[in-house]
Amino acid sequence: MRTQEELDAAVQAGFNIEKEEMRRSHQEQTASSQPRPVPLESSASSTSTETTPQNRTDIRIPKRKSSTLDASRKSPIREQGTPGSTAFQSISSERPPKWYVEMKRRSKKMKPQSGKRELVEELKQIRQLREGCQGRSDTALESLRKYLHDLVFLHGVDERVLKDARMLDDDEGLRSIFDDDLFPGDIKADAEELYDKWARRDFDVNLFRGIDLGSRKKGDHGADKLNRDYPRRKSDVFGHNDLIIGQWWPTQIATIRDGAHGSSQGGIYGDPKKGAWSIVVSRGYKDDKDRGKEILYCGTDGDAGEATARTQAMVASKEMGNPVRVLRSYNMPSASKYRPQCGFRYDGLYKVLDYKILDKEKQIHQFRMKRCPDQIAIRYEGNEARPTEQERREFERDRNLQKPSE
């Protein structure tokens, strides 16, 4: 693959000719199809992204209307038959997306502009890489895996580039990978995640898109806030919520943007009557145990013999049987093999099987959770691990930057 500097130079050469047309097209689509931003809960401007027993006890659960439940999208990457939500328009409801289908393909006489042409050819490499994997060679699969990881941070991609490269076509491009059982689960997951992102016309490669970075020291995101003008997916939804297992974020507040979790600090996000929508496994109580497919997870400290709303949400999850999204944090004990090297990783759906009360006065409940079947393996080791090498590199680059004074 070309170096990023070469690609950026090539993109800039042809970018000015098309950018105004694409900007207007994108604005029109955004105005007509994107949902209005959902107001943040009061804790969204946190002072720390670390989830600890102390900061898990004082965050109120917002009272929200019940989500409409529907069948989970039928994807090889997601558990089948799990409740999902129609609160946020499913990106899988139209494949290819309507805007892509309605966009006319260029005639053979009309070649892409300089810069865009190089990007189109870069994307078309996926066909050769896909064909090279027919013999299931480890080397070929690893080349495809790395290629997909690189595409996530490819600058200059837009609607026209995708159309010219046929990247969202049914029988070519990314879908020909995640719909084919020839490929390992992690490669299919990465292809589907990128497809979904581009199908939403999200071409921003910044890890912190939609987030206002606060005044900070190097690598400190404690003062970050969600940009209220940036559309985000609702988090008060049961099921995968259109997330891909293994999906990764640099900070906990970034998980709110994509509907993975709903609190910038709290470890449990839910409603005491409806149940928990998501939890973050982090540096919690000494009685927390993470065995991968089974988790022992403690609720928050109550007061005067009364359980907190968050603990009650977990109790409701056990009684109602709704699955809970589980994210793992880099703040987990360093000895845990499931701990991501940095950031936060989505590891799928778990059911709350039962619980016991460890402290009656503080109403500390320990919940036993088991991972739901028919999900790809937790991506914590090997070449399929998340964060990827490319994600770690971008994250480290941010750590070495300091926001300029204003």
Side-chain angles (χ1 to χ4, degrees):
M1 295 191 55
R2 298 175 177 82
T3 66
Q4 190 60 57
E5 290 77 10
E6 291 172 335
L7 281 174
D8 287 343
V11 169
Q12 189 61 42
F15 182 60
N16 291 334
I17 297 176
E18 295 192 19
K19 72 175 184 178
E20 184 62 25
E21 176 186 351
M22 302 314 302
R23 182 185 66 81
R24 288 197 300 267
S25 174
H26 182 68
Q27 286 180 338
E28 291 171 359
Q29 178 68 17
T30 300
S32 62
S33 63
Q34 287 186 338
R36 295 181 62 84
V38 180
L40 300 181
E41 61 175 299
S42 60
S43 64
S45 56
S46 69
T47 57
S48 172
T49 58
E50 178 173 324
T51 304
T52 65
Q54 182 177 3
N55 64 28
R56 277 166 49 177
T57 61
D58 57 356
I59 300 177
R60 298 178 61 189
I61 300 176
K63 295 181 179 180
R64 300 175 184 259
K65 294 182 180 181
S66 178
S67 304
T68 303
L69 297 183
D70 196 1
S72 175
R73 61 179 290 183
K74 294 182 179 180
S75 163
I77 312 305
R78 299 170 171 85
E79 179 193 4
Q80 306 302 308
T82 302
S85 171
T86 58
F88 184 92
Q89 183 177 2
S90 175
I91 47 186
S92 61
S93 59
E94 294 180 327
R95 283 188 169 173
K98 184 178 180 180
W99 66 262
Y100 185 84
V101 174
E102 293 179 346
M103 179 177 284
K104 294 181 179 180
R105 201 177 305 279
R106 290 182 190 269
S107 67
K108 293 183 179 180
K109 295 181 180 180
M110 296 179 60
K111 295 183 179 180
Q113 296 293 330
S114 176
K116 296 297 184 182
R117 188 182 305 120
E118 282 75 9
L119 281 173
V120 171
E121 293 305 315
E122 198 75 38
L123 295 181
K124 284 183 177 180
Q125 290 184 28
I126 196 171
R127 301 171 193 171
Q128 181 180 353
L129 290 167
R130 182 191 65 210
E131 292 303 318
C133 294
Q134 296 304 310
R136 297 190 63 83
S137 160
D138 289 341
T139 302
L141 289 171
E142 183 57 29
S143 295
L144 178 59
R145 181 180 285 115
K146 182 180 183 302
Y147 173 79
L148 290 172
H149 295 172
D150 286 337
L151 286 187
V152 174
F153 298 102
L154 185 61
H155 291 263
V157 174
D158 58 28
E159 294 95 329
R160 175 51 62 189
V161 169
L162 292 181
K163 188 70 174 183
D164 290 344
R166 301 174 183 258
M167 286 299 282
L168 304 187
D169 280 18
D170 284 340
D171 55 350
E172 297 187 55
L174 293 167
R175 190 167 186 181
S176 66
I177 293 176
F178 65 78
D179 276 351
D180 191 338
D181 290 335
L182 165 72
F183 299 101
D186 70 289
I187 289 180
K188 293 166 68 176
D190 291 338
E192 186 172 13
E193 181 181 345
L194 186 56
Y195 181 105
D196 289 346
K197 182 175 182 290
W198 283 346
R200 291 192 302 267
R201 289 174 150 178
D202 183 355
F203 307 117
D204 194 340
V205 300
N206 185 356
L207 291 177
F208 299 95
R209 58 189 178 276
I211 296 173
D212 294 331
L213 301 179
S215 300
R216 60 189 178 90
K217 298 179 180 178
K218 293 181 180 180
D220 179 12
H221 288 274
D224 291 357
K225 297 180 180 179
L226 285 172
N227 186 318
R228 292 180 180 272
D229 294 327
Y230 191 93
R232 67 182 180 92
R233 187 177 301 141
K234 293 181 64 176
S235 305
D236 52 350
V237 171
F238 292 111
H240 290 293
N241 200 19
D242 268 331
L243 300 171
I244 300 292
I245 293 175
Q247 199 162 337
W248 176 85
W249 300 268
T251 59
Q252 187 162 331
I253 200 169
T255 69
I256 302 176
R257 177 196 65 205
D258 293 339
H261 196 53
S263 172
S264 60
Q265 285 185 294
I268 301 172
Y269 181 67
D271 182 280
K273 294 182 179 180
K274 302 170 187 173
W277 294 297
S278 59
I279 67 167
V280 173
V281 180
S282 186
R283 185 190 300 120
Y285 292 84
K286 62 181 178 62
D287 295 300
D288 286 352
K289 304 291 181 184
D290 186 356
R291 303 183 181 118
K293 293 184 177 181
E294 184 179 82
I295 298 173
L296 298 180
Y297 188 84
C298 291
T300 53
D301 288 358
D303 185 39
E306 183 176 352
T308 64
R310 293 190 180 276
T311 295
Q312 293 176 41
M314 291 292 285
V315 172
S317 289
K318 189 270 175 184
E319 294 174 348
M320 302 182 70
N322 289 323
V324 180
R325 289 188 299 276
V326 169
L327 292 83
R328 286 182 170 87
S329 164
Y330 74 100
N331 282 322
M332 292 174 61
S334 57
S336 173
K337 65 180 181 179
Y338 300 106
R339 171 182 175 267
Q341 293 189 29
C342 56
F344 296 75
R345 185 186 65 232
Y346 175 52
D347 287 340
L349 298 175
Y350 286 67
K351 288 287 189 71
V352 180
L353 300 183
D354 50 48
Y355 63 87
K356 59 183 178 181
I357 301 177
L358 303 181
D359 187 318
K360 291 186 178 180
E361 177 64 24
K362 294 183 178 181
Q363 282 293 298
I364 299 177
H365 291 53
Q366 183 189 63
F367 299 92
R368 184 168 68 95
M369 307 178 69
K370 186 174 181 180
R371 197 167 191 255
C372 296
D374 303 320
Q375 302 182 105
I376 65 171
I378 301 171
R379 299 179 61 180
Y380 69 95
E381 63 179 351
N383 296 337
E384 64 270 24
R386 296 286 296 269
T388 66
E389 177 185 347
Q390 291 81 346
E391 287 169 331
R392 296 195 304 270
R393 182 178 63 234
E394 291 296 317
F395 184 78
E396 190 61 31
R397 180 179 300 173
D398 172 78
R399 289 173 59 87
N400 292 329
L401 293 176
Q402 180 149 10
K403 185 177 179 181
S405 1
E406 300 182 4

